[in-house]
């Protein structure tokens, strides 16, 4: 059997130590990279809560997160569905933002509570009066909408998000059942089976329903925030792993 020289043995041990010392570095980079790639999945314009009963009225929030590190969101435009028009759209005031509603004539008049409606809101625009939605933040834009259609399973709201650097993100891509979510999905409100007598919803009953939906939206928002926090913690852990790997490598080399 050929003899292995001491120099060769030392070289082999040194190589093994170097490889082992770099494992935390590789692991840290991998963990950080996975989390960095996964984080943007949470950052898209959405409507919350994601569903409402058919034929009724609902209070919904358009949640707009900022996806940029160097620009603020200064304008949000939401196009309302024309195939199932909403005769009533009432925005809740949002501090620091002005709102405008564009109306359009309907190709075919609709009836609501015994009245013929010939035009309906077609677009709603929020424009920042100050800094807008800054990096690392999100803003919710509440709307009271109705009467929701009884002959549809969902409403699609196409949205445009404009940044202070003039970039415009078009959230207009349809989400197809069974297919992966597109890069820029349009916000969707799913319509569920009607709950009781929704036609005369007003006063305290309507307020109770609105409060319940607002609470649900807040809970959903909290869930998204928790996901972001967990992602940030994972990134920090990855960075610590990188630092540990570099320190361990230098210590062993010394």
């Amino acid at each position: 059997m050929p003899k292995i020289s001491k120099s060769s043995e030392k070289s082999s041990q040194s190589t093994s130590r170097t490889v082992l010392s770099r494992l935390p570095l590789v692991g840290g980079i991998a963990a950080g990279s996975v989390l960095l790639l996964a984080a943007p999945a949470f950052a898209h314009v959405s409507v919350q809560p994601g569903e409402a009963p058919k034929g009724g009225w609902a209070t919904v929030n358009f949640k707009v997160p900022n996806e940029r590190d160097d620009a603020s969101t200064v304008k949000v435009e939401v196009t309302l569905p024309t195939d199932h028009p909403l005769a009533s759209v009432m925005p809740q005031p949002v501090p620091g933002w002005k709102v405008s509603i564009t109306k359009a004539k309907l190709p075919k008049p609709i009836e609501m509570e015994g009245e013929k409606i010939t035009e309906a809101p077609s677009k709603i625009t929020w424009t920042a009066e100050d800094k807008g939605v800054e990096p690392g933040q999100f803003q919710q834009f509440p709307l009271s909408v109705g009467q929701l259609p009884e002959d549809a399973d969902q409403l699609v709201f196409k949205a445009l998000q404009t940044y202070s650097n003039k970039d415009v993100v078009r959230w207009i891509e349809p989400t197809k059942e069974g297919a992966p979510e597109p890069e820029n999905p349009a916000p969707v409100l799913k319509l569920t089976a009607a709950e009781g007598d929704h036609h005369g919803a007003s006063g305290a009953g309507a307020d109770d329903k609105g409060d319940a939906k607002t609470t649900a939206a807040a809970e959903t928002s909290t869930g998204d925030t928790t996901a972001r926090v967990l992602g940030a913690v994972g990134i920090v852990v990855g960075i610590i792993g990188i630092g540990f790997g570099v320190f361990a490598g230098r210590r062993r080399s010394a």
Side-chain angles (χ1 to χ4, degrees), residues 123-139:
K123 184 172 74 170
I124 183 164
T125 303
W126 291 272
T127 306
E129 297 180 309
D130 195 7
K131 295 179 181 178
V133 186
E134 298 185 81
Q137 299 180 356
F138 73 90
Q139 178 65 55

Side-chain angles (χ1 to χ4, degrees), residues 181-247:
E181 184 178 75
E183 184 177 354
N184 295 317
V188 175
L189 177 67
K190 293 184 183 294
L191 300 179
T192 60
E195 299 175 355
D197 183 13
H198 50 264
H199 294 284
S202 61
D207 289 342
D208 289 346
K209 288 184 179 180
D211 290 344
K213 287 176 170 50
T214 302
T215 301
E219 291 173 352
T220 304
S221 173
T222 302
D224 283 357
T225 302
T226 302
R228 287 177 178 274
V229 171
L230 291 175
V233 171
I235 293 172
V236 171
V237 171
I239 293 172
I240 292 173
I242 293 172
F244 178 81
V246 172
F247 175 79

